[in-house]
Amino acid sequence: MKTVYNARHAAHAATREFFRGRLVPAFEVPARADYVLAAVQAAQLGEIVAPVDHGLAPLERVHAPAYLRFVQGAWAEWQALGGEGDAFPAVWPVRSLRSDVAPRSFAARMGLYSMDSGTPLTAGSWEAAYWGAQASLTGLDQVLGGERSAYVLTRPPGHHAGADFFGGYCFVNNAAVAAQAALDAGLQRVAILDVDYHHGNGTQAIFYERADVFYASLHGDPQTEFPFFLGHADETGAGAGLGFNANFPLPAGASNEAWFAALEAALERLQAYEPELLIVSLGVDTYGGDPISHFKLDRPEFSRLGQRLAAFGARTLFLQEGGYATEAIGHNVVAVLQGFEPRP
Ligand code: OKP
Ligand code: ZN
């Protein structure tokens, strides 16, 4: 299968993030994508192509234009204020505070448009995220153009980003942009399967009241795992979207057996939906050696995941999400993709 590689990912290079009261080396680093690229090349997975620019309009189909403008200009605003190092939010409009008006203050807007202090906004965040969305749209073009599958190698990830907020290392929701673009191209039912360790709160929220995108996710239980405030099993959709959202939270430390049982349950729901396209939010932070996650998958399980997704039978667009055991993620991703499409 072809890989669409967002080389501009490297523009987003945070050095540090907050952890237990101090700034520690960032987990979501450019080396992640470098290792995956090397592994994809070594495995001779297929041609590696560059993203084609589809412009801002497809991003505005799922994100508020004011939010996108904010992210695009945030680094310049931060620099004009004399900001040193990366920008972090420090104040949020929680319950009883107003979020329907955007204050003039940059600090206030950083909070208005974010969900956590764990997502450093850097000089190149917008460039990397914009081109990540373009790479996702380019991968979608491949799959709609007749390819059985495509893999989009990009960072930062996207599934925590909501219609109008960044967070969880994410700025632009690549899965949501691609799903909406697929609908805009004429498809009627798109499934998103999110196998990242973390619940994709942004993706879920964007499509929560809609029946044309079915979001299914297996993830660490939000009782103890990020993003904490979404991802419970009782979130099944609302309004026209009722019945088109399915969450399979698993306790931190869950066995591989439990994980694959949840995968079967999720795929059963998606199979009944009869999607014309499957988008896989492919986080490999489910790996046993991941430094911030608590599942136990390893090479054989990633390969089995790929095989199972191939058996699902749909056109499939793989989008890179998390995975923080930097040197291992390339091998883990390639195990999934080769499981999906064994070498002839
Ligand atoms: C993004 B994705 C660890 C803090 C964790 C949020 C994790 C975001 C994961 N020091 N912060 O879903 O892989
Ligand atoms: Zn994750």
Side-chain angles (χ1 to χ4, degrees):
M1 94 178 63
K2 284 184 189 159
T3 293
V4 185
Y5 172 56
N6 169 25
R8 318 275 274 263
H9 78 84
H12 177 65
T15 52
R16 292 186 293 177
E17 67 176 66
F18 287 106
F19 184 65
R20 297 193 178 139
R22 24 176 74 95
L23 281 162
V24 303
F27 288 94
E28 204 291 286
V29 291
R32 296 179 58 242
D34 300 340
Y35 275 101
V36 180
L37 182 64
V40 162
Q41 286 168 331
Q44 297 185 298
L45 204 72
E47 201 183 328
I48 296 171
V49 303
V52 172
D53 193 358
H54 294 61
L56 204 56
L59 284 68
E60 292 182 335
R61 293 283 292 137
V62 297
H63 289 288
Y67 163 69
L68 294 172
R69 270 197 304 279
F70 172 76
V71 176
Q72 184 170 15
W75 185 255
E77 283 197 70
W78 174 241
Q79 291 301 99
L81 286 170
E84 283 181 49
D86 298 337
F88 294 91
V91 59
W92 290 273
V94 298
R95 294 156 297 285
S96 84
L97 300 181
R98 287 181 65 175
S99 55
D100 62 321
V101 282
R104 256 204 309 279
S105 154
F106 174 74
R109 278 176 293 122
M110 274 293 275
L112 178 65
Y113 292 125
S114 69
M115 64 175 276
D116 71 355
S117 67
T119 309
L121 193 151
T122 77
S125 296
W126 170 254
E127 181 183 352
Y130 175 87
W131 284 100
Q134 301 306 330
S136 304
L137 291 162
T138 305
L140 176 68
D141 289 342
Q142 309 254 353
V143 170
L144 295 185
E147 298 277 348
R148 162 87 205 274
S149 62
Y151 167 59
V152 176
L153 171 48
T154 190
R155 51 169 293 281
H159 69 157
H160 296 300
D164 61 358
F165 60 85
F166 65 87
Y169 307 150
C170 304
F171 296 90
V172 172
N173 194 311
N174 298 316
V177 169
Q180 183 62 54
L183 297 169
D184 291 343
L187 269 53
Q188 293 185 331
R189 287 180 316 284
V190 174
I192 300 176
L193 175 67
D194 191 330
V195 297
D196 187 280
Y197 179 79
H198 305 93
H199 177 253
N201 60 282
T203 316
Q204 169 173 310
I206 286 168
F207 299 115
Y208 203 63
E209 299 190 13
R210 291 168 48 173
D212 50 2
V213 177
F214 194 128
Y215 177 76
S217 178
L218 11 171
H219 50 267
D221 191 332
Q223 290 280 355
T224 62
E225 306 306 293
F226 188 89
F228 307 116
F229 303 108
L230 211 65
H232 299 279
D234 68 351
E235 297 156 15
T236 58
L242 187 61
F244 299 96
N245 194 90
N247 284 326
F248 299 88
L250 294 159
S255 68
N256 291 342
E257 197 185 354
W259 193 88
F260 277 98
L263 177 67
E264 283 310 312
L267 289 176
E268 193 178 312
R269 296 295 308 280
L270 295 182
Q271 201 88 58
Y273 182 65
E274 297 184 8
E276 297 155 292
L277 169 69
L278 176 65
I279 295 176
V280 179
S281 269
L282 181 60
V284 292
D285 41 9
T286 47
Y287 173 55
D290 195 274
I292 66 169
S293 310
H294 310 283
F295 288 164
K296 298 172 179 167
L297 272 52
D298 206 334
R299 226 55 57 72
E301 289 75 29
F302 286 117
S303 168
R304 179 178 165 193
L305 168 61
Q307 290 169 32
R308 183 63 188 88
L309 294 176
F312 184 78
R315 292 186 279 183
T316 304
L317 177 62
F318 292 95
L319 304 181
Q320 185 65 49
E321 302 277 3
Y324 306 99
T326 306
E327 296 178 27
I329 69 173
H331 300 289
N332 292 338
V333 167
V334 164
V336 176
L337 301 178
Q338 284 190 326
F340 186 92
E341 186 185 78
R343 301 258 304 270

